[in-house]
Amino acid sequence: MQLRRLWLTDFRGYREADVAFDPGLTAVLGPNGQGKTNLLEAIGYLATLGSFRGAPADALVRVGAERAIVRAEAEREGRELLLEAEIVAGGRNRALINKQPLKRARDLLGAIRVTVFSPDDLTLVKGSPGERRRYLDDVLVSLSPRYDQMQTDLDRVLRQRGALLKQAGGRVSAEVELTLDVFDAKLAAAGEALASARRNLVASLEPLLATAYDQVASESALVRATYAAPWMDEGLAAALVAARRDDLRRGVSTVGPHRDELELSIGGLPARTHASQGEQRSLALALRLAAHHVVAEHTETTPVLLLDDVFSELDPERSDALLRSLPPGQTVLSTAGGLPAGAVPGVVLQVRAGAVAPG
Ligand SMILES: Nc1ncnc2c1ncn2[C@@H]1O[C@H](COP(=O)(O)OP(=O)(O)O)[C@@H](O)[C@H]1O
Ligand SMILES: [Mg+2]
């Protein structure tokens, strides 16, 4: 998998940009606030149809413009791909591969894959369980686009169930019960499927996570990752029945994969609350590295590594360790500071005020 070239129109601060990448390492340099992350975000958009910063699609369209276009030339297994995505503020997004419009923009998923490292990754360890669920779900979509459909189905039924619970306002009628029966059957099916995919993923990630942690941390430690779903033993259908009264009273769905947790521990202690900042950083890096390896292994395409200003957050030892533990493949890194020793880019890009120039 090679990303060769990227064209942007009205994406974030960019009016127009035309960027060529090195097959190995491309460095994106420039002071803060100039558009370095925006450039990496555009690459990421083609891979996931979303922003790795978690920004809504509207924020990706240049202020004052109606639509943004992200276009890339890539090569995969000897095949040339021209990928195009149109992001319409407040409207439907469209995508094309080799000029052929796709039925749904989601059909672009899987055409290219990325692994993103960002200074925000610390929230994977320190943040709420939702951050870790999103991490797992993003990796699943990288492994297979069908998980995107599974997540969409689950979100829909959760929204419907939530709306019904609120509407019922704690009052139980035969009609509410009947509708809940229908929603619960759907929720149980979609939820069991997604949770079991997440659990299998955690099982494949755990050994890689332990190895990756040893590579990036200054000292090795016992790292564990467990998928915790309190309902798993009885099954989601039974758990939903058991929780129904409570759900009606509270007006929310209290059990299901939207409440599950990816538990992380270092040396037997919960990483979120007990690990040092340095250990948490190492673990966050290790989570990204492990995901990268799992996706590379299972899809036989090495994702493009996007390193967004990560070196500014890391001490020199961790920077070196991260650089040394990165698997070979195409890498685009941005930095507002100097390049870490050992990073020798084939292409250097200078970004100033939303314009990119070879530097
Ligand atoms: N939708 C948008 N329209 C116009 N400009 C934007 C938009 N979104 C972000 N920007 C601009 O992009 C800048 C941030 O770029 P960013 O890539 O995050 O900088 P950095 O080089 O520090 O990574 C902001 O200062 C903002 O002016
Ligand atoms: Mg940035």
Side-chain angles (χ1 to χ4, degrees), residues 286-357:
L287 283 165
R288 294 298 185 201
L289 275 172
H292 183 78
H293 284 295
V294 163
V295 174
E297 209 172 283
H298 288 262
T299 65
E300 288 165 12
T301 53
T302 307
V304 178
L305 286 161
L306 303 178
L307 309 183
D308 186 30
D309 226 343
V310 279
F311 298 105
S312 60
E313 301 283 323
L314 298 177
D315 51 55
E317 281 113 86
R318 268 196 198 80
S319 292
D320 285 347
L322 173 61
L323 271 180
R324 273 185 277 111
S325 50
L326 289 178
Q330 192 174 24
T331 304
V332 182
L333 77 79
S334 79
T335 173
L339 280 171
V344 188
V347 168
V348 174
L349 304 168
Q350 294 285 347
V351 178
R352 288 286 141 80
V356 192

Side-chain angles (χ1 to χ4, degrees), residues 32-33 36-38 53 308-309 334:
N32 282 322
K36 300 182 300 298
T37 301
N38 294 347
R53 305 195 217 202
D308 186 30
D309 226 343
S334 79

Side-chain angles (χ1 to χ4, degrees), residues 207-229:
L208 296 165
L209 187 63
T211 313
Y213 185 90
D214 282 356
Q215 285 177 329
V216 293
S218 39
E219 49 193 329
S220 76
L222 179 67
V223 174
R224 299 294 315 264
T226 321
Y227 187 70

Side-chain angles (χ1 to χ4, degrees), residues 109-110 113 136-145 147-148 151:
L109 294 175
R113 294 184 169 85
L136 292 177
D137 289 349
D138 287 349
V139 180
L140 286 175
V141 174
S142 274
L143 288 171
S144 166
Y147 291 113
D148 183 66
Q151 290 160 21

Side-chain angles (χ1 to χ4, degrees), residues 56-72:
D58 286 3
L60 305 180
V61 179
R62 192 173 61 79
V63 171
E66 261 172 35
R67 66 197 66 222
I69 293 169
V70 182
R71 181 181 295 131

Side-chain angles (χ1 to χ4, degrees), residues 167-186:
Q167 201 191 332
R171 286 180 304 276
V172 188
S173 67
E175 201 190 331
V176 166
E177 297 267 11
L178 272 176
T179 317
L180 273 176
D181 288 344
V182 176
F183 289 163
D184 287 6
K186 281 194 207 168

